[in-house]
Amino acid sequence: MTTTEPDKTGPSFASLDPRDGTVLAEYPIAGPEEVGLAVERARAAARWWRGQGPRGRRAWLLEYKRAISSRAQELASLISAETGKPDEDATLEVMLAVSHLEWAAKNADKVLRRRAVSAGLLMANQAAYVEYQPYGVVGAIGPWNYPVFTPMGTLSYAMAAGNAVVFKPSELTPGVGVWLAEVWDSLGASQPLIQTITGDGSTGNALCRAGVDKLAFTGSAATGRKVMAACAETLTPVVIEGGGKDALLVDRDADLDAAADQAVFGAMGNAGQTCAGVERIYVHEDVKDAFVGKFTARVRALTPGSSITSSYGPMTLPAQVDIIRRHVEDAISRGGKAVVGGEDSVGEKIVEPVVLVDVPEDSSAVTEETFGPTVVINPVADLEEGVEKANATSYGLGGSIFTGDRRRGLALAEKLDVGMVSINSFLAFAGIPALPFGGSGDSGFGRIHGADGLREFARPKAITAQKFSAPLNLMTMTRKPRDIKIVKWMLANVQGKL
Ligand code: NAD
């Protein structure tokens, strides 16, 4: 169900096609009252959902997955229209989103159902259990760059964990959000398990204050801080999936063709508008020239534009162009060299690829999220130095390592201060539903995807059941001096020695 039914009197906004500025549709800006009503409806839906039990929820979610998949082309076209990304990229996004939905549906019960844990020697008279219960209503606020894949990382796992969701999509991609709720409604369930409320930051803020049981935010670190501040007033727990400044490291013995291929996809794909996109490359100095040669040859072959077959499309958010221009200018004015493109590459809608080398580490192109089809390549004496430089940022989302030695790759991965690392590929972790997704620092905290993503949207509950009276019962006002004597003996002779 959506709260986007026409309200001719209230404020509204238009969704535009960034390729040519066409107005795609008008949507209402939901205020606190509409948001509050949506949360109220969600509360009833959450009760209904809980009553479906694990089997029922699995069946509904798999039906939802089939419905999205069978209308995938329709959804991909809508994504393309609202973001400007080529059809192929939009289709890939839908594919990844449904694979997560399927995994969440099929694994929720296994991950969240009651399980027995060891009670330990001291409490051996107890049976001990952990179980996970849904929060109830989860509010989700999404970005525009992957308007299906990213929010579905929240929605799928939150619903599979037993919650109803109220979703506030980005004001740049409201149609996609409305579509996701409408497809749920088309299944004929009696309850609006997913409701989409449209609007801008004010609607997002209203959702933070609407009494949801948990708020999952995906977007920039700056907005994440505002979301946390608003949620702090009611102690509403939050998940923050923020931005990134991810690095890709290339070792001396790496397969340079594979590294160049993946680095180009990571840096330029989706016009660089990927939270875990490649923004910095640290390459071993011995292979720097060879790598830069292979990388730039591939970059020069790209054909950005507004056609559905372009390598990547226009910038979805027009204001991003100024940030990209500032970063490129700053890098060049501080001595960095543009080996592909330059300041003139930053057009009004389309940004042509820019490859910068030897850029000072304190340049904004290295320290701030650029979110454009630009990348910095700097040489390092070895990958230890690469790791050190990769870690010298306020973000901690993902990273990639290209090496001829997988074990060395694993050792380096351990040292990267990020939530996700792929060795000899880019972004593989995002496509594996069993793996948790999220970061640290300005990239946020909490996890979506995988078992951790399911647990993120459930409250752990500890339960004990006494099996027999304890021979040594300390938790009573009538314990005997002899009991404490035994404890003292145990502390000295068991705990103190083992
Ligand atoms: P943004 O922070 O501008 O907006 C995100 C959402 O927050 C939008 O829906 C917006 O309407 C809403 N919002 C704005 N002000 C608000 C407020 N005061 N209270 C509540 N909600 C508010 O981000 P964006 O430009 O839409 O997305 C790009 C950013 O998202 C980049 O930094 C990117 O790296 C990040 N991102 C992160 C991930 C991840 O999983 N870590 C995924 C995709 C994008």
Side-chain angles (χ1 to χ4, degrees):
M1 182 181 217
T2 71
T3 58
T4 55
E5 284 84 28
D7 168 11
K8 302 285 181 214
T9 52
S12 66
F13 68 104
S15 151
L16 306 176
D17 186 331
R19 294 171 295 198
D20 56 12
T22 309
V23 173
L24 297 167
E26 280 280 329
Y27 295 91
I29 298 180
E33 201 177 317
E34 290 101 319
V35 176
L37 287 171
V39 172
E40 220 171 275
R41 283 192 293 267
R43 212 155 282 295
R47 281 194 291 275
W48 166 80
W49 191 230
R50 211 163 164 170
Q52 298 300 301
R55 275 168 169 238
R57 290 196 289 272
R58 174 189 162 118
W60 276 114
L61 290 176
L62 291 177
E63 200 175 328
Y64 185 46
K65 181 212 71 164
R66 284 189 288 274
I68 294 174
S69 307
S70 62
R71 291 170 63 183
Q73 187 49 55
E74 193 188 315
L75 179 56
S77 301
L78 188 53
I79 296 172
S80 289
E82 289 198 320
T83 63
K85 72 174 69 174
D87 185 68
E88 282 179 14
D89 286 353
T91 305
L92 171 66
E93 184 176 340
V94 177
M95 183 66 215
L96 287 170
V98 296
S99 72
H100 278 280
L101 177 54
E102 179 178 20
W103 193 92
K106 289 185 172 169
N107 288 277
D109 184 36
K110 194 167 65 190
V111 173
L112 302 175
R113 70 177 165 222
R114 183 180 304 157
R115 65 185 155 87
V117 296
S118 164
L121 188 63
L122 200 60
M123 305 293 277
N125 64 321
Q126 303 281 346
Y129 307 97
V130 185
E131 64 182 36
Y132 295 86
Q133 295 186 335
Y135 276 93
V137 179
V138 170
I141 298 177
W144 45 263
N145 59 338
Y146 289 91
V148 169
F149 176 67
T150 294
M152 284 303 284
T154 292
L155 269 55
S156 304
Y157 290 84
M159 292 187 299
N163 305 281
V165 289
V166 177
F167 173 38
K168 206 299 275 178
S170 164
E171 52 272 50
L172 271 57
T173 54
V176 170
V178 168
W179 190 94
L180 290 171
E182 282 176 355
V183 172
W184 170 266
D185 291 343
S186 76
L187 302 181
S190 59
Q191 292 287 337
L193 192 67
I194 305 177
Q195 294 176 80
T196 294
I197 46 166
T198 57
D200 55 13
S202 67
T203 307
N205 181 269
L207 185 57
C208 295
R209 297 167 186 279
V212 293
D213 301 299
K214 183 146 191 173
L215 195 291
F217 168 80
T218 311
S220 61
T223 311
R225 288 184 173 87
K226 292 184 196 165
V227 164
M228 250 185 111
C231 289
E233 289 176 21
T234 46
L235 279 189
T236 301
V238 291
V239 185
I240 305 283
E241 295 289 347
K245 189 70 188 174
D246 290 5
L248 180 144
L249 313 184
V250 185
D251 210 349
R252 186 166 41 181
D253 60 357
D255 176 340
L256 297 186
D257 286 300
D261 175 74
Q262 289 286 280
V264 172
F265 179 60
M268 307 294 165
N270 202 29
Q273 305 166 115
T274 302
C275 53
V278 175
E279 300 223 351
R280 301 173 291 156
I281 298 174
Y282 293 108
V283 54
H284 195 292
E285 58 194 6
D286 290 357
V287 293
K288 181 200 164 200
D289 291 345
F291 175 78
V292 170
K294 288 175 189 291
F295 184 81
T296 52
R298 285 167 172 80
V299 169
R300 288 196 182 96
L302 296 177
T303 53
S306 291
S307 110
I308 59 162
T309 54
S310 301
S311 307
Y312 62 79
M315 301 312 293
T316 309
L317 178 67
Q320 199 67 28
V321 169
D322 294 331
I323 296 172
I324 300 169
R325 188 179 295 111
R326 176 167 63 77
H327 288 188
V328 173
E329 283 172 1
D330 186 58
I332 294 172
S333 70
R334 285 163 180 262
K337 288 190 289 291
V339 289
V340 175
E343 288 162 35
D344 295 343
S345 306
V346 187
E348 218 173 277
K349 283 197 171 73
I350 306 277
V351 177
E352 301 279 341
V354 182
V355 181
L356 301 157
V357 297
D358 302 327
V359 179
E361 289 291 317
D362 60 352
S363 152
S364 55
V366 177
T367 58
E368 297 173 22
E369 186 178 48
T370 308
F371 230 51
T374 68
V375 69
V376 166
I377 307 180
N378 281 346
V380 285
D382 54 32
L383 256 58
E384 298 291 335
E385 185 190 340
V387 166
E388 209 174 292
K389 289 191 163 153
N391 287 345
T393 160
S394 61
Y395 292 101
L397 194 54
S400 317
I401 299 168
F402 282 80
T403 168
D405 179 349
R406 192 150 61 95
R407 284 176 64 179
R408 180 161 159 65
L410 286 167
L412 290 164
E414 202 181 318
K415 294 180 185 165
L416 276 177
D417 291 338
V418 294
M420 304 157 297
V421 182
S422 55
I423 298 167
N424 291 335
S425 71
F426 160 71
L427 207 63
F429 45 75
I432 299 174
L435 289 176
F437 187 101
S440 58
D442 278 349
S443 299
F445 54 85
R447 294 294 182 267
I448 55 172
H449 300 176
D452 296 281
L454 287 166
R455 290 192 197 105
E456 188 72 55
F457 296 107
R459 293 189 179 106
K461 179 173 274 185
I463 301 173
T464 63
Q466 180 154 309
K467 296 184 287 188
F468 50 86
S469 318
L472 182 66
N473 191 4
L474 303 170
M475 302 220 207
T476 167
M477 302 306 277
T478 55
R479 65 188 166 218
K480 307 279 179 305
R482 175 186 151 273
D483 295 336
I484 291 301
K485 240 189 217 166
I486 295 173
V487 168
K488 286 183 177 168
W489 181 87
M490 281 173 76
L491 281 169
N493 296 292
V494 183
Q495 303 291 20
K497 288 195 174 150
L498 281 183

